[in-house]
Amino acid sequence: MRDDPRLPTSPRFWRSPLRGTWFTAVLGLVLLGGISVLFVTGLVSYAAYNPDLSPVNDTTPDKGVLGFYLFDWPAGPSWLYRLSQGVHVTLGVVLIPVLLAKLWSVVPKLFTLPPARSVAHALERVSLLLLVGGVLFQFVTGLLNIQLEYVFPGSFYPLHFYGAWVFIAAFVVHAALRTPMAVRAVRARRRDEAELVAPRPAPPTVSRRGALWLVGGGSLLLFVTTVGQSLGGPLRRTALLAPHGGSDPGGGPNGFQINKTARYAGITEADTHPDAWRLVVTGPAGTVRLGRADLLRLPQHSSSLPIACVEGWSTADQWWRGVRLRDLAVLAGYEGDPPDVLVESLQRHGAFRRAALRANQVSDPRSLLALYVNGEELSPDHGYPARIIVPAAPGVHNTKWVGRLTFGDL
């Protein structure tokens, strides 16, 4: 079976003249840098949710010691989450051709027999299974998430979180063992291991350098058709393959990207009618119920802020107007520094219908309970009658259709 050229277990089955240590090493070093950045920006994205603040923010409640890196997420600069998550998603998409080429370059090794020549070799093969399975799992679930295709079982957040830790453990071990050899192979340029070179290569149709240019061109094409979604503005038109690619929905002051419509969230006109809707504000001073007219009589302030979502897309800065959160904290009984706040939406079901904001986010003068955007009332899909807008916060924490604010220690 091992020597039958019709089977992948035979070295003679693999005939591409492109495979070799140098080709694999170049791709591996690119992935080493790229995946390291993906892991760091993934940790940053998770920290942006302030998961240690309240159980409603913690999408992975059993993380245990894996939460050691968390820190208080700052409220500025306003583009911070747009940058970190834009890098995470865009880089993940751009690395797809590199990843596929790297897996293709080493696929013969996955079929070598015997499967284990020693205990050390068996451990290496197991680590490779974790490495290959982990990277495919992370990239596939990430791509499905940014396209809102939730075909996998369970919630994306814990799956992606724990999958990342399993993968990175195998990745670190593999990188520690292979990086020195990869560096030597790149420097030597033409020194190849016999296990990667085809013993009976087919005639070449492209050089290895040409193949690398092809991989790089694919990554560049994905970059051009993805990055505009994170930058917002006119460049969104170039994001043909990005999450939510294409033109902004609708037109006019409310004509910018949304993730969840009022209909999808189950919000009806009866829920938001001025005669029915009241904002419930709770704190040491008791409970205050405010209609939209009451909110409009409070001091109004404006902020120019984007919305940036975990799927990688963001809007250009929009001009929001409404009541500062710290002014509402005063109504709730906090005269000095405002505390944390629990925000609850009229949305009855689904993830992120509640979100907790840290005191530094509440106290920021740009943080608003917004009533208007770009000079016009919020549309139903943008959160009418009132929504949260906070600088540098993930989009899901800019809660729409706000019904209750509870100030105090959470």
Side-chain angles (χ1 to χ4, degrees), residues 283-288 330-333:
T287 298
V288 181
V330 172
L331 284 179

Side-chain angles (χ1 to χ4, degrees), residues 30-31 33-36 38 89-101 139 215 219 222:
V30 173
L31 287 174
I35 288 176
S36 299
L38 286 180
V89 171
T90 302
L91 180 59
V93 173
V94 166
L95 285 178
I96 290 174
V98 184
L99 174 64
L100 294 178
F139 272 75
V215 172
S219 291
L222 288 176

Side-chain angles (χ1 to χ4, degrees), residues 39 145 189 206 229 272 313 331 345 351 395 406:
F39 185 68
N145 179 67
R189 291 182 180 271
V206 65
Q229 194 73 359
T272 60
W313 63 264
L331 284 179
S345 173
T406 303

Side-chain angles (χ1 to χ4, degrees), residues 240-285:
L240 303 176
L241 301 179
H244 306 276
S247 59
D248 290 328
N254 278 273
F256 56 95
Q257 186 65 55
I258 58 173
N259 213 13
K260 186 185 299 179
T261 64
R263 181 178 180 181
Y264 177 88
I267 305 297
T268 66
E269 187 176 351
D271 296 323
T272 60
H273 193 278
D275 294 337
W277 179 81
R278 294 294 182 272
L279 174 69
V280 180
V281 181
T282 302

Side-chain angles (χ1 to χ4, degrees), residues 345-368:
S345 173
L346 297 177
Q347 181 181 343
R348 297 173 182 85
H349 305 287
F352 302 109
R353 63 185 183 275
R354 296 186 298 165
L357 300 176
R358 204 178 286 278
N360 66 307
Q361 295 174 307
V362 177
S363 63
D364 192 288
R366 296 168 294 177
S367 296
L368 302 176

Side-chain angles (χ1 to χ4, degrees), residues 244-327:
H244 306 276
S247 59
D248 290 328
N254 278 273
F256 56 95
Q257 186 65 55
I258 58 173
N259 213 13
K260 186 185 299 179
T261 64
R263 181 178 180 181
Y264 177 88
I267 305 297
T268 66
E269 187 176 351
D271 296 323
T272 60
H273 193 278
D275 294 337
W277 179 81
R278 294 294 182 272
L279 174 69
V280 180
V281 181
T282 302
T287 298
V288 181
R289 299 174 65 87
L290 302 168
R292 187 175 166 90
D294 300 318
L295 290 169
L296 289 171
R297 284 192 286 269
L298 296 174
Q300 303 291 299
H301 299 272
S302 297
S303 298
S304 180
L305 298 172
I307 295 176
C309 279
V310 69
E311 294 91 358
W313 63 264
S314 64
T315 71
D317 288 0
Q318 310 296 323
W319 194 254
W320 308 90
R321 187 164 180 80
V323 182
R324 283 176 174 166
L325 293 184
R326 66 187 190 185
D327 292 343

